[in-house]
Amino acid sequence: MSAVEEVAGASAEVIQVLFALHQGFGAQELCGPLEVLSNALQKIKDPETTAFECTIAAPSQAVTSSSGLTIKADIDFKTAHEDINYYDVLILPGGSGVEKIIKEQSEPTALMQAYAKLQMNDPSKERTLMSIGTGSLILGQAGLLQGLAATTHPDYYTKFENICKEAARRGNLEQTDVMEENYVVNNARFDLGDELDENPFILTKRPDGRRKSIARQGSNAWKESVKRRESNARRAALKLGGLRVITSGGVTSGLDASLYLVAAMVSHESAQEVARLLQYTWNKGVTVEGIDV
């Protein structure tokens, strides 16, 4: 059973996604993931079974990308803070505006921190924080990647490492493992399935020699794990209370990470169907930590 399929005759829940935009965001870093999630269906033959509902938050009513595209926001950051518990997924695109946000430690930095704190205080719910491109620099500067593995746009690897090292010095000294990967997933929930060799999220070879990674083929955690007391306890023991943290590289890496999210929260078949509709070849990333909760 997939993450959002009907359970015992109950109506399937739509996964609520919040995009946190800023002045100078990357247009394709918004539009790519938005296109993927908007096309994902719970039942691939039924166009009425929308899997995700997306909301855009910004510091003002309208926000302009680095390429001049102006987007009308659904809500401002004040409302986003007030309603943060409503969202299952929070997505942060990068773009040229990231440098100013890091320098001023301005929004959406506080929104990212509030979302992580929410998960640490309430690990019973499955939540995901995902960055596209240089959005991960904001997460690193905010201290949210300590003790985790992460990636960013290849042109910013060195800057990213320096930001994460400085965050570690300010925090608890835990370092961030900066990886040169397409996308990196921490705190995954997964169902191994019966055929490990056919699991689309198992990485059989790692350039650094680490053990192979595993992730689920469609999640039961979405509905079932909140009912298991032991699952909540195990999740609470993970970094950030078990918050699934996904960082991705450039624009196409954001597409790939979004397809991973569809596969993890809906089904692998749904992700494959979205890739087919977009005439896009899905390139996988890595899952560095996981727990079957």
Side-chain angles (χ1 to χ4, degrees):
M1 181 178 294
S2 71
V4 294
E5 282 182 359
E6 297 181 5
V7 178
S11 298
E13 294 181 6
V14 176
I15 301 168
Q16 298 298 325
V17 180
L18 181 66
F19 283 87
L21 300 190
H22 49 84
Q23 295 292 347
F25 71 92
Q28 293 185 75
E29 295 177 25
L30 163 68
C31 296
L34 184 61
E35 191 72 15
V36 169
L37 301 180
S38 297
N39 278 285
L41 299 173
Q42 299 157 8
K43 300 177 181 178
I44 61 176
K45 301 297 183 181
D46 186 351
E48 299 299 319
T49 59
T50 300
F52 297 88
E53 181 177 343
C54 299
T55 301
I56 293 177
S60 57
Q61 186 175 12
V63 62
T64 303
S65 75
S66 57
S67 59
L69 175 67
T70 299
I71 297 291
K72 181 180 178 181
D74 298 306
I75 60 175
D76 58 20
F77 285 140
K78 181 177 183 297
T79 303
H81 276 278
E82 293 171 351
D83 297 342
I84 195 168
N85 191 45
Y86 178 68
Y87 297 101
D88 307 298
V89 180
L90 181 52
I91 298 179
L92 175 62
S96 63
V98 165
E99 297 282 354
K100 183 178 181 180
I101 293 171
I102 292 175
K103 182 179 180 180
E104 298 179 353
Q105 298 186 34
S106 56
E107 289 283 19
T109 301
L111 185 65
M112 304 298 113
Q113 293 171 322
Y115 195 65
K117 184 177 180 180
L118 177 65
Q119 180 66 32
M120 289 187 283
N121 291 336
D122 176 24
S124 65
K125 183 175 179 179
E126 177 176 340
R127 297 182 180 90
T128 299
L129 176 60
M130 184 167 84
S131 66
I132 313 296
T134 56
S136 58
L137 274 64
I138 297 175
L139 301 184
Q141 194 273 338
L144 300 179
L145 300 178
Q146 290 182 245
L148 301 179
T151 192
T152 191
H153 189 284
D155 289 351
Y156 290 83
Y157 284 148
T158 300
K159 184 177 183 65
F160 186 40
E161 287 180 334
N162 291 335
I163 286 174
C164 291
K165 286 178 181 178
E166 178 58 31
R169 283 193 287 269
R170 295 194 311 268
N172 59 12
L173 301 181
E174 284 190 283
Q175 299 296 318
T176 301
D177 184 4
V178 176
M179 305 177 72
E180 298 182 7
E181 297 285 356
N182 190 30
Y183 61 81
V184 179
V185 184
N186 297 269
N187 294 343
R189 282 81 160 151
F190 55 80
D191 176 4
L192 292 180
D194 297 326
E195 300 295 333
L196 296 185
D197 291 338
E198 297 178 6
N199 189 310
F201 303 126
I202 289 181
L203 184 70
T204 56
K205 295 181 180 180
R206 287 291 299 277
D208 57 8
R210 296 182 180 181
R211 63 179 176 80
K212 63 184 181 181
S213 304
I214 46 181
R216 66 184 180 186
Q217 301 181 46
S219 167
N220 288 323
W222 178 257
K223 290 281 189 179
E224 299 300 323
S225 68
V226 296
K227 301 176 183 178
R228 303 198 302 266
R229 184 175 302 172
E230 66 273 18
S231 296
N232 294 339
R234 294 173 70 190
R235 189 179 301 139
L238 297 174
K239 298 291 184 183
L240 301 179
L243 177 68
R244 183 197 285 113
V245 179
I246 306 173
T247 54
S248 62
V251 171
T252 56
S253 298
L255 289 171
D256 295 324
S258 300
L259 287 166
Y260 168 88
L261 196 60
V262 173
M265 300 192 74
V266 184
S267 70
H268 188 242
E269 292 72 22
S270 182
Q272 288 180 314
E273 176 62 10
V274 173
R276 185 194 68 80
L277 287 171
L278 301 183
Q279 292 189 302
Y280 179 76
T281 301
W282 178 14
N283 297 298
K284 307 295 173 59
V286 299
T287 304
V288 295
E289 291 292 345
I291 185 167
D292 189 5
V293 295

